[in-house]
Amino acid sequence: MSNIYAVIMASLRAAYPKVNIKEEVSEYYIAEDISTVYEGMIIAVDDDEWNRFRHLGDSEMIVLLIYLAKQVNLKKFNSVHDKN
């Protein structure tokens, strides 16, 4: 999971260059979201659906990851965010 985490954090830093992601985004909330969503995706998403990503070149993957990172609501993962 550490590779997934590193890619997510790098994508967020690229998508939000003016935000100090390390300071403002909670590692705990990111890790919690990864572990929750990952298990569901493994069950719900058929292997064939992943093929479109397997064949992307590096630059295409980078563009996609930054695009997806821009869709993230950073407030959901704010390090001072209170879940209650």
Side-chain angles (χ1 to χ4, degrees), residues 62-73:
I62 290 167
V63 168
L64 175 63
L65 290 170
I66 292 171
Y67 168 78
L68 294 172
K70 287 180 179 179
Q71 311 310 308
V72 173
N73 177 0

Side-chain angles (χ1 to χ4, degrees), residues 7-24:
V7 169
I8 289 171
M9 295 304 280
S11 299
L12 290 172
R13 284 191 302 272
Y16 298 99
K18 294 181 181 180
V19 176
N20 186 340
I21 296 296
K22 187 167 178 71
E23 297 274 328
E24 296 188 31

Side-chain angles (χ1 to χ4, degrees), residues 15-66:
Y16 298 99
K18 294 181 181 180
V19 176
N20 186 340
I21 296 296
K22 187 167 178 71
E23 297 274 328
E24 296 188 31
V25 174
S26 167
E27 293 181 7
Y28 173 80
Y29 293 138
I30 291 286
E32 178 183 57
D33 201 61
I34 292 169
S35 65
T36 303
V37 172
Y38 177 80
E39 292 300 320
M41 286 175 53
I42 294 301
I43 294 167
V45 180
D46 189 56
D47 285 344
D48 292 337
E49 294 295 322
W50 295 108
N51 283 333
R52 70 183 83 191
F53 302 108
R54 288 185 182 115
H55 302 292
L56 291 179
D58 291 346
S59 20
E60 294 169 309
M61 181 62 79
I62 290 167
V63 168
L64 175 63
L65 290 170
I66 292 171

